[in-house]
Amino acid sequence: MQEPGNKDIHTNAIRAENEGDRTPEFKAARDNLIHDVRSFLDEVERRQSSGEPLGSHGEIRDEAGIIRTIIQDPFREPKTRQFSDDGIRLDGGVNFMTETTKPRGVYFHHDPETGQRVLVVVNPDKVLEVIDDPLEQQASGPEAGYQGVSSSKLASFTEKLPDGSYVGMEVVSSGQVFLKKFDGAVHAGVALSRSPEQLELVGSMWADIQSQLLSGS
């Protein structure tokens, strides 16, 4: 955000352009988080190719662990429909998304077209999902300096409980980091954008997830 009285920073109504409003410490912490997620999924992909298990969770299956389907609003003319990359209606219509989770196990899928890699670990008490977009990171992430202003997801992780509640984080191509949660009734999202201390909780969450996934290795 633009500082009061600071006329040198040009804003786009969301943040200063070219990350001028984010501290070097915050950007370094965010980039380290992205690279850590990427490195972790590099190891998962290596284990999958060599037939090694993921900790005590067992075999890494080469398939998607969560299947999501967007059901488009049938009451709008097709020529008027516009969608974001995440399937969100941009023209005021309403879409619905169905979600199906595979049985207990470890699932890793690398999409050859988009480059997206998704790890899903299904347990009786929770479902862990980790997403990494190496190609998107190169186009509008650390390598590109976050020149984009879209909300394309670069990296994320989410813990979802059987009651439907969840907590997680994601880094998007505008350079923002979002902490998201759902308590079963209300969805909440907080943008962390300035202080590196804001990322300490996210880093602790991610460290705990890695420890859970690699336990028994």
Side-chain angles (χ1 to χ4, degrees):
M1 299 295 292
Q2 186 174 5
E3 296 293 341
N6 189 341
K7 304 301 183 182
D8 296 326
I9 299 179
H10 299 288
T11 65
N12 60 7
I14 297 176
R15 63 177 180 84
E17 294 179 350
N18 300 323
E19 304 209 84
D21 58 341
R22 296 179 184 136
T23 66
E25 295 81 7
F26 176 88
K27 290 185 282 188
R30 177 202 54 202
D31 292 353
N32 287 339
L33 180 62
I34 287 180
H35 289 306
D36 203 24
V37 170
R38 180 192 292 183
S39 296
F40 178 76
L41 290 193
D42 284 345
E43 172 62 14
V44 171
E45 192 162 18
R46 184 196 67 78
R47 292 187 183 204
Q48 183 189 61
S49 63
S50 62
E52 299 177 47
L54 181 64
S56 60
H57 302 281
E59 173 192 3
I60 304 172
R61 304 176 189 180
D62 187 8
E63 56 184 295
I66 298 176
I67 307 299
R68 295 183 176 94
T69 303
I70 301 295
I71 302 174
Q72 299 179 6
D73 184 346
F75 299 106
R76 299 294 288 259
E77 291 295 326
K79 64 182 180 180
T80 68
R81 295 176 183 172
Q82 299 180 31
F83 303 91
S84 72
D85 293 338
D86 297 325
I88 299 174
R89 284 294 289 268
L90 302 177
D91 59 356
V94 177
N95 282 342
F96 299 93
M97 183 178 72
T98 63
E99 181 175 293
T100 304
T101 303
K102 294 290 183 67
R104 181 175 183 173
V106 182
Y107 304 86
F108 181 81
H109 179 64
H110 189 164
D111 190 315
E113 294 185 3
T114 66
Q116 184 184 76
R117 304 185 297 178
V118 182
L119 170 69
V120 174
V121 180
V122 183
N123 290 309
D125 59 337
K126 71 177 64 175
V127 176
L128 296 172
E129 182 180 31
V130 183
I131 299 176
D132 174 51
D133 271 306
L135 296 182
E136 185 69 24
Q137 290 166 17
Q138 294 175 24
S140 56
E143 291 89 343
Y146 300 93
Q147 298 297 320
V149 296
S150 72
S151 59
S152 298
K153 189 182 300 183
L154 303 182
S156 71
F157 59 81
T158 307
E159 286 189 334
K160 184 175 181 179
L161 303 182
D163 64 2
S165 63
Y166 65 79
V167 63
M169 84 86 214
E170 65 181 40
V171 184
V172 299
S173 57
S174 65
Q176 287 184 300
V177 180
F178 290 95
L179 185 62
K180 297 188 173 183
K181 65 178 182 177
F182 176 56
D183 62 6
V186 179
H187 294 273
V190 179
L192 312 178
S193 60
R194 295 188 63 83
S195 170
E197 286 76 21
Q198 291 179 313
L199 292 182
E200 289 183 1
L201 174 60
V202 172
S204 297
M205 291 168 58
W206 173 237
D208 183 58
I209 287 175
Q210 289 189 85
S211 177
Q212 293 177 48
L213 294 176
L214 295 177
S215 62
S217 295

